[in-house]
Amino acid sequence: MVKITDVARRAGVSPSTVSYVLSGKRTISAETRQRVEESIRELGYRPHAGARALASSRSNVLALVMPLRPGVHVPVQMQFAAAVATKARAHDHDVLLVTQEEGEEGLRRVANSALVDGLIVMDVQMQDARIPLLRALGLPSVLIGFPARADELTCIDLDFTATGERCVDHLAELGHRCVALLGSPPEVYARGTGFAQRTAAGFTSAARRRGMASTVVPVEPGRDAARRTVERLLREQPALSALVVHNEPALGALVEAFQRAGMAVPEELSVVAVCPDEVAENAAVPVSSVSIPAVEVGEGAVELLMAKLADRDVPDATLLPPRLTLRASTAPHRAPAKPRYAPAHARDGSECLTAP
Amino acid sequence: MVKITDVARRAGVSPSTVSYVLSGKRTISAETRQRVEESIRELGYRPHAGARALASSRSNVLALVMPLRPGVHVPVQMQFAAAVATKARAHDHDVLLVTQEEGEEGLRRVANSALVDGLIVMDVQMQDARIPLLRALGLPSVLIGFPARADELTCIDLDFTATGERCVDHLAELGHRCVALLGSPPEVYARGTGFAQRTAAGFTSAARRRGMASTVVPVEPGRDAARRTVERLLREQPALSALVVHNEPALGALVEAFQRAGMAVPEELSVVAVCPDEVAENAAVPVSSVSIPAVEVGEGAVELLMAKLADRDVPDATLLPPRLTLRASTAPHRAPAKPRYAPAHARDGSECLTAP
DNA sequence: GTGCGCTGTCGAAACGATTCGACACCGCGG
DNA sequence: CCGCGGTGTCGAATCGTTTCGACAGCGCAC
């Protein structure tokens, strides 16, 4: 293995000079720098990572804590990981893969052994056991998602509140007056998963602001449950003309259910989803959607972490603006030509309930 | 940060003794060991990874070189990564994520800087520019997939030859006499991707051995191309009663195409696929399939690498046996009740061509 | 001519572990 | 009683960098 003293000897300088050429932490004359750089190239020298970490107390590695069991949409996770790895390399850092399953012990391990300089933690829950640990660890970290108490922690995610609002705004501009949000399964709300609640809040407040009738409907997992929910909803709210769907596993089932219930999309029912582009594109009708900006989140997380490592100040919360991609599932509102489930004389909008 | 001298002082021993307790490389009396272990626990000591790497010239990290751009089926990649990470941890190692995009330079970097002790390289091509480099690098490595010249390299993958045979055997046992393999796009064969060729070879030789008529048909990418290929195939080979599909992106399109061409699956046409379970389960008809054993490949790769790191001998090639999962797409052969495309008097099997 | 500040380079001391040879101690056999 | 082999522990060297203080040389102002 070629080491720094070899380079130094060949260039006729001392090892420290080589080090300074590499790090740029002291001024080096142009001639010397050139000679050193040439020696480095000719010998193919690379600093020994361990020695460097020992001496500088910087490993130039950051940990990516990732849920590796299926759960979140996998291609999105992958995009995210790719973005993190690529951006980290652009900052001359490497990425250590840590599985969610290692839990708190895993964090402690990589942090206390000085294996990594910082942490990027994905899939943060509202009540996350790792939060207090992250505070105590003393290593810079960036969280993907927002826990209940985020003070002193740096978090980044899609702005779900704005996302809910954006969906409603789009539908409102198309003339819809009565909308519903088909959301996550009830236990997701109960578990306190932040993004579900925030989407619902944005949805509801935007609808109220625009004087629209709105309901939030949790959807149980499973095709059958999705179908039953849709049928009940269309029966109970005949004036409903547009839906926001924030439940990616059920999206496909839901779109099929609308059609089976005799509702043409988008002619009779407009649908806008919050889901990965991939899912939106492959539904029976390509769905207008706000997607999870995995790449931007990943890159943003790395940038934030790098800033913290450089002792620069960073905002506690970074909310990425939603971007709505229009596809084939939304159209201007028009009064239904034929009665749906309810008798024709009731078609004045009063059957469209407002959320409690 | 608590270091080994702290632990040593507290336990009343020398640092080297602590080190030997940790590594087990020398015998330590029971009492001493206990005292040391207690100190370690009380102080929450973890060896500094960099210092350890420097002194022992082992980083206890292995590199996972992964294609992070979509291409291979993503959930399978994920399973694989999860298996590697988990198994590595079981051997007290960590995993560094290296993107395929970094190419040869990336390999050189992590190897020459002693960042990692070994490499696991995914998605190995038949002619892979990294192969000579891997030979030269002098670091233990394990490849997922087989390059053209694999001597001196350790490789692991599903046994695609046996897979092709297994599919044919299954169909033969059901009484089918005339089969075709719908394979990858032509350029995949041209590019010399090993697994495609090997599946075809196994398929062909098993068919020959059993005296069955067989054809190998490359399928161009895209829904339309898939449909046209199916229609042509069914027209030209009316006696065809079973298919092997080794083309995962096209599988869904193909199954739909069969049905649109008036072929009930499995009543009139049996189908067995080589693809991830997830894809097979979600096709219009759940497809009997041989799946990619991602977890076993990942775990196997780590075990092989660990063995090499411990200077144990390992086989050059590890071929994982295919496992066929029966679903709803295969059924016993029976003579078609109605003519298909060809006139009835020609229904003697002679229209079923044999591969060149 | 002396002193001062600036630039560029060097030498040596960390950094925190591992590992090898040395050696003290013990029980045992001669 | 002495020496011997085996066990358990220690001390010191080593791994390859980084970084801090020192300092040589230089130009410039006083």
Side-chain angles (χ1 to χ4, degrees):
Chain A
M1 180 184 189
V2 33
K3 41 196 183 187
I4 201 171
T5 51
D6 301 331
V7 176
R9 193 169 331 115
R10 188 177 229 283
V13 298
S14 80
S16 50
T17 302
V18 176
S19 177
Y20 286 123
V21 166
L22 248 22
S23 69
K25 293 191 179 174
R26 285 200 180 174
T27 52
I28 299 287
S29 69
E31 309 103 273
T32 306
R33 194 202 337 278
Q34 267 191 337
R35 248 182 314 134
V36 170
E37 281 168 351
E38 201 176 309
S39 305
I40 290 179
R41 222 172 316 112
E42 290 174 355
L43 297 178
Y45 166 72
R46 316 251 181 189
H48 185 289
R52 176 189 282 242
L54 179 57
S56 66
S57 43
R58 276 296 179 88
S59 65
N60 274 32
V61 174
L62 38 92
L64 175 60
V65 186
M66 213 174 164
L68 288 178
R69 309 283 163 232
V72 199
H73 188 68
V74 176
V76 170
Q77 277 184 56
M78 208 65 168
Q79 278 181 42
F80 178 80
V84 168
T86 305
K87 196 53 135 185
R89 283 305 307 143
H91 288 273
D92 195 32
H93 281 243
D94 270 286
V95 172
L96 194 81
L97 198 59
V98 178
T99 68
Q100 191 95 283
E101 285 67 35
E102 278 208 70
E104 305 169 52
E105 173 58 15
L107 297 187
R108 245 191 289 270
R109 184 172 57 80
V110 296
N112 291 341
S113 65
L115 199 47
V116 303
D117 298 334
L119 302 159
I120 294 182
V121 183
M122 293 178 65
D123 200 27
V124 170
Q125 300 295 314
M126 203 81 160
Q127 305 295 337
D128 201 305
R130 298 168 298 182
I131 301 301
L133 179 59
L134 285 172
R135 282 209 179 79
L137 232 36
L139 265 199
S141 58
V142 174
L143 315 194
I144 314 302
F146 286 78
R149 292 198 54 234
D151 47 298
E152 302 283 307
L153 293 171
T154 308
C155 305
I156 183 173
D157 206 347
L158 173 61
D159 186 340
F160 281 98
T161 308
T163 299
E165 293 172 350
R166 182 78 186 81
C167 293
V168 170
D169 288 349
H170 172 57
L171 296 173
E173 283 156 13
L174 289 173
H176 297 277
R177 305 297 306 150
C178 179
V179 298
L181 169 68
L182 292 176
S184 305
E187 69 267 26
V188 170
Y189 289 96
R191 180 154 30 99
T193 306
F195 67 85
Q197 297 184 344
R198 281 189 292 270
T199 305
F203 169 85
T204 303
S205 75
R208 179 164 312 144
R209 184 165 50 244
R210 290 180 173 266
M212 298 162 75
S214 75
T215 332
V216 175
V217 185
V219 179
E220 301 276 359
R223 285 186 105 73
D224 283 353
R227 189 173 44 72
R228 279 197 307 272
T229 305
V230 166
E231 285 170 1
R232 183 171 52 74
L233 184 65
L234 295 179
R235 182 159 13 90
E236 290 176 358
Q237 305 198 24
L240 199 66
S241 68
L243 290 175
V244 177
V245 178
H246 185 196
N247 182 328
E248 137 209 330
L251 177 62
L254 290 171
V255 173
E256 286 172 28
F258 303 147
Q259 300 185 319
R260 200 165 307 155
M263 300 289 293
V265 174
E267 292 77 8
E268 295 174 84
L269 190 68
S270 283
V271 176
V272 44
V274 181
C275 69
D277 281 331
E278 204 194 13
V279 172
E281 284 162 9
N282 291 324
V285 176
V287 177
S288 299
S289 71
V290 172
S291 66
I292 314 298
V295 171
E296 288 153 60
V297 175
E299 293 183 343
V302 172
E303 296 290 3
L304 287 168
L305 191 50
M306 288 302 154
K308 292 180 90 168
L309 285 173
D311 253 336
R312 279 181 272 136
D313 272 345
V314 302
D316 281 358
T318 303
L319 290 170
L320 268 36
R323 279 197 324 220
L324 180 63
T325 302
L326 297 184
R327 298 199 179 81
S329 67
T330 45
H333 177 55
R334 52 176 200 209
K338 56 180 181 198
R340 218 187 289 160
Y341 291 97
H345 67 266
R347 191 154 311 288
D348 59 4
S350 66
E351 325 86 329
C352 189
L353 309 174
T354 292
Chain B
M1 180 184 187
V2 32
K3 39 196 185 186
I4 201 171
T5 51
D6 300 331
V7 175
R9 193 168 333 113
R10 188 177 228 283
V13 299
S14 80
S16 51
T17 301
V18 176
S19 177
Y20 285 123
V21 167
L22 248 23
S23 70
K25 293 192 179 173
R26 284 200 180 173
T27 52
I28 298 287
S29 68
E31 309 102 274
T32 307
R33 195 202 335 279
Q34 267 190 337
R35 247 181 317 133
V36 170
E37 281 168 351
E38 202 177 308
S39 304
I40 290 179
R41 224 174 314 114
E42 291 173 354
L43 297 178
Y45 166 72
R46 316 249 181 190
H48 186 289
R52 175 189 281 240
L54 178 56
S56 66
S57 43
R58 277 296 178 86
S59 66
N60 275 31
V61 174
L62 37 93
L64 175 60
V65 185
M66 214 174 162
L68 287 179
R69 309 280 163 234
V72 199
H73 189 68
V74 175
V76 170
Q77 277 185 55
M78 208 64 166
Q79 278 180 44
F80 179 79
V84 168
T86 304
K87 196 53 134 186
R89 283 305 306 143
H91 288 274
D92 196 31
H93 281 242
D94 270 287
V95 172
L96 195 82
L97 199 59
V98 178
T99 67
Q100 192 95 283
E101 284 68 36
E102 278 206 70
E104 305 170 53
E105 172 59 14
L107 296 187
R108 244 190 290 269
R109 183 172 57 80
V110 295
N112 292 342
S113 64
L115 240 186
V116 303
D117 298 334
L119 302 159
I120 295 182
V121 182
M122 293 177 66
D123 199 27
V124 170
Q125 300 294 315
M126 203 80 160
Q127 305 295 338
D128 200 305
R130 298 168 297 182
I131 301 300
L133 179 58
L134 284 173
R135 281 208 179 78
L137 231 35
L139 263 200
S141 59
V142 174
L143 315 194
I144 314 302
F146 286 78
R149 292 198 55 234
D151 46 298
E152 302 282 307
L153 291 171
T154 307
C155 304
I156 183 173
D157 206 347
L158 172 62
D159 185 340
F160 282 98
T161 309
T163 298
E165 294 172 350
R166 183 77 186 81
C167 292
V168 170
D169 288 348
H170 172 57
L171 296 172
E173 282 157 14
L174 289 173
H176 297 279
R177 305 296 307 151
C178 181
V179 298
L181 170 66
L182 293 176
S184 306
E187 70 267 26
V188 170
Y189 289 96
R191 179 155 30 99
T193 306
F195 67 86
Q197 296 185 344
R198 281 189 292 269
T199 305
F203 168 86
T204 302
S205 75
R208 179 166 311 144
R209 186 166 49 243
R210 291 182 171 264
M212 298 161 73
S214 73
T215 333
V216 175
V217 185
V219 179
E220 301 276 0
R223 286 187 105 75
D224 281 353
R227 189 173 43 73
R228 280 196 307 272
T229 305
V230 165
E231 285 170 1
R232 183 172 53 75
L233 184 66
L234 294 178
R235 180 160 14 88
E236 290 177 357
Q237 305 197 24
L240 200 65
S241 69
L243 290 174
V244 178
V245 180
H246 186 195
N247 182 327
E248 136 210 330
L251 178 61
L254 289 171
V255 172
E256 285 172 29
F258 303 146
Q259 300 185 320
R260 200 164 306 155
M263 300 290 294
V265 174
E267 292 76 10
E268 295 174 84
L269 191 68
S270 282
V271 176
V272 43
V274 181
C275 70
D277 281 330
E278 205 195 12
V279 173
E281 284 163 8
N282 291 324
V285 176
V287 177
S288 300
S289 72
V290 173
S291 66
I292 315 298
V295 170
E296 288 153 59
V297 175
E299 294 183 343
V302 173
E303 296 289 2
L304 286 168
L305 191 51
M306 289 300 151
K308 291 180 91 168
L309 286 174
D311 253 337
R312 278 182 272 136
D313 273 346
V314 302
D316 281 0
T318 303
L319 290 169
L320 268 34
R323 279 195 325 217
L324 180 63
T325 302
L326 298 184
R327 297 199 181 80
S329 67
T330 45
H333 177 55
R334 51 176 202 209
K338 54 180 184 197
R340 221 186 289 159
Y341 290 97
H345 67 268
R347 190 154 313 287
D348 61 3
S350 65
E351 324 87 328
C352 188
L353 310 174
T354 292

